[in-house]
Each structure stands twice: as C-alpha cells, then as structure tokens.
Amino acid sequence: MEAATKLRGDYGTAGEDYAVDQHWSDYSEEEHALWRRLHQRQTALLPGYACDAYRESLARLDCSAGIPKFEDTNRALKRASGWSLVAVPGLIPDLVFFKHLSERRFPVTRWLRRPEEFDYIVEPDVFHDFFGHVPMLFDPAFADYMQAYGLGGLKAARLDSLKILARLYWYTVEFGLLRTARGPRIYGAGILSSGGEVLHAIDSPHPRRLMFRLERVMRTDYRIDRFQDTYFVIESFERLVSDTACDFAPIYERLRAQPAIAPDEAVQGDIAAVPDS
Ligand code: PHE
Ligand code: FE
C-alpha cells in the first residue's frame, strides 16, 4: 500500500486483511490512564446528547477502566449482533475495510493517541474506533446497516462511485443524529468521540439539522477539519436500513451528472428536523 509510510501505526506484521494482534499487554500504564481520562470526559458529556441505544451499550461494555481487550468485547458482541472486532494497525485500504464490514467484522485501530492529542486527532485511534463505533454495533438494525454498507462499498468500488457513497458513511455512521421525542440525539461516532462536537451538534444554533434524505446526503460534500455545518437526522435505525436498501447504481449514475452541494448550503426540499411526538 503506497500510503503506508505516511500513516501512523505498525503495518509490518499485517497480512492481506490487515488484521494484527492487539498486543493488549503492550499498552503502558500511561496509555490506560489516558484512556480513562478520555472515557471520563466523554461519558460525562453524553446524558441528554447520545441516543439511548448507544448509552445502554456503552454502559454494558463497561470499558472505563482502561483500553479494552477486543477479545473480551467479542464474546458479548458476537452474541448480541454477530459482529466481532479485529485489531488493525491504523487506516486500511477501502476495499479491505468494506470486506471486513461485509462479513460483520469491524476493524479497530490498536494505537492510542498521545496526551497532547487529547482534544483533537486527525487519524482515527483506538479511542475513536472503540468508544465511538463499537457500542452502536450492539444494535441489531444498526449492525445490519453496517454490513449492508460494506457490501455497498464493494459494489460502489466496481461502479467507481466511492466518493458518493463515502458521504453516506460520513453523514450517518460518523456524524448521524437520531430523531426522538426529546429532540435529536447522537449516534455518529465522530461526534460521540469528540470533546467539542457533542454540544455543537445538539445545542449550537449554527449547524443545520435536516431530515435524512438519501440523495440529498449523497450529494453533500463534507469537511474533515472542523465541526460539521449540516447534520442529517434519521427517524430510526430500521428506517435507515430500509431507506438504503434500494439499488444505488442508478443513483450513482444520476448524481455523477449533478454538482455537489456545499457543506453549509441549503437546497429546495430540505426539511428541518423537529422533535417527533
Ligand atoms: N443498497 C446499496 C446498493 O445497492 C448498498 C448499501 C446499503 C450501501 C446500505 C450503503 C448502506 O449499493
Ligand atoms: Fe470512524
């Protein structure tokens, strides 16, 4: 992989599927202490902000004491939704990532950020991957969505449409909100693992919070270097699964001919999210 030299992480022992041993006993006491601080800060923020499915699974996971052993998590996760975690050195090629998802395996980066990256990190580390993503994998509908996404990724690659599909991942798996009677709640891992974006996503008057519409999302560019300007709100995880079950091939065809929507742009047909009743 030509990017490997620029990525953090040790790719030396990674095979074709990029899976490596987690080497849990190699984490230092400082790393476990940093994890505890990250975990504590983040869980304190979540009541009233994260969706119930996430909060319940996080509580059940009980990973506050230090960097978790993926092996331990796998026993419970396999039973709950048929998913398992595989340790990886860091970012992996798209196709390898999709293949794992399509077989209900979630790749989790093994290294933890440095103390000076407490508030912000560019590349996903074990805190983002585990704390942000893993609790949602316990939800049966969301778990199905993730597998469908993996299969969809393999298909999008064949159709040369990864850029369009990636927007769907970004605005759901990473930055998605869920509609509830008490207002929007977070299920996106990029928000849930961020010290600042939890409040921004829910309380700030600045960003748009729009009802999820598949093609609107797939047309919308995103920025990876700042809080989001637009969030999309789903009705339920079951609806997310059914809204994305159609064949994307004609959508890719159509969208290729259309200009992208800017991250902060409003378009005709947008519906602001209001609490359901
Ligand atoms: N239905 C999509 C397709 O035909 C696959 C997919 C499902 C992609 C769910 C993303 C999420 O390509
Ligand atoms: Fe992520």
Side-chain angles (χ1 to χ4, degrees):
M1 186 179 63
E2 91 282 355
T5 48
K6 287 177 254 137
L7 292 173
R8 262 166 90 169
D10 177 9
Y11 288 80
T13 63
E16 219 174 290
D17 64 356
Y18 284 74
V20 294
D21 195 289
Q22 188 190 3
H23 287 297
W24 186 82
S25 49
D26 290 355
Y27 294 121
S28 67
E29 189 36 53
E30 287 72 40
E31 288 176 309
H32 287 300
L34 177 58
W35 171 282
R36 283 195 292 276
R37 283 205 294 133
L38 285 161
H39 189 288
Q40 199 167 23
R41 189 257 305 258
Q42 217 51 32
T43 41
L45 282 169
L46 297 182
Y49 290 86
C51 71
D52 290 344
Y54 176 85
R55 296 220 300 135
E56 282 158 22
S57 295
L58 182 70
R60 217 170 104 194
L61 266 171
D62 188 21
C63 59
S64 61
I67 304 171
K69 244 188 220 159
F70 302 163
E71 235 176 273
D72 295 343
T73 308
N74 280 345
R75 273 188 291 266
L77 184 56
K78 266 192 192 136
R79 217 175 315 121
S81 66
W83 276 76
S84 60
L85 311 180
V86 287
V88 289
L91 290 170
I92 60 176
D94 288 336
L95 289 180
V96 180
F97 181 67
F98 297 145
K99 180 98 192 315
H100 279 302
L101 296 186
S102 73
E103 293 167 3
R104 291 176 103 86
R105 284 186 305 272
F106 191 75
V108 177
T109 300
R110 68 163 303 280
W111 56 266
L112 182 66
R113 68 192 66 188
R114 293 184 289 260
E116 59 274 23
E117 296 166 309
F118 191 78
D119 285 312
Y120 183 76
I121 181 158
V122 189
E123 277 174 71
D125 70 339
V126 61
F127 184 73
H128 166 79
D129 284 346
F130 192 99
F131 187 92
H133 287 284
V134 174
M136 288 309 301
L137 294 173
F138 282 81
D139 182 87
F142 188 83
D144 287 348
Y145 175 70
M146 289 296 280
Q147 178 177 26
Y149 188 92
L151 291 163
L154 296 170
K155 174 169 153 185
R158 290 193 299 272
L159 298 172
D160 204 11
S161 300
L162 285 183
K163 190 177 169 183
I164 297 175
L165 183 67
R167 295 178 181 137
L168 180 60
Y169 193 88
W170 188 263
Y171 284 115
T172 59
V173 179
E174 295 293 354
F175 292 94
L177 301 181
L178 172 72
R179 192 158 87 127
T180 82
R182 292 149 295 147
R185 292 291 183 269
I186 305 160
Y187 73 90
I191 315 174
L192 291 166
S193 64
S194 155
E197 193 148 355
V198 167
L199 299 186
H200 174 84
I202 300 294
D203 289 343
S204 166
H206 169 73
R208 295 176 205 286
R209 298 177 190 84
L210 304 174
M211 289 313 293
F212 177 91
R213 285 186 303 131
L214 182 63
E215 289 196 34
R216 163 60 154 106
V217 171
M218 291 170 90
R219 278 181 63 197
T220 309
D221 273 334
Y222 55 86
R223 305 209 29 176
I224 63 166
D225 56 347
R226 46 176 284 175
F227 294 161
Q228 301 303 301
D229 295 303
T230 302
Y231 298 95
F232 292 97
V233 183
I234 60 167
E235 300 267 7
S236 68
F237 299 118
E238 289 76 12
R239 265 292 290 278
L240 179 61
V241 170
S242 62
D243 283 351
T244 53
C246 59
D247 179 9
F248 284 8
I251 303 181
Y252 296 144
E253 202 57 45
R254 217 171 19 251
L255 296 195
R256 226 190 302 278
Q258 286 177 37
I261 301 169
D264 61 351
E265 201 179 326
V267 300
Q268 212 182 5
D270 281 352
I271 303 163
V274 290
D276 66 10
S277 42

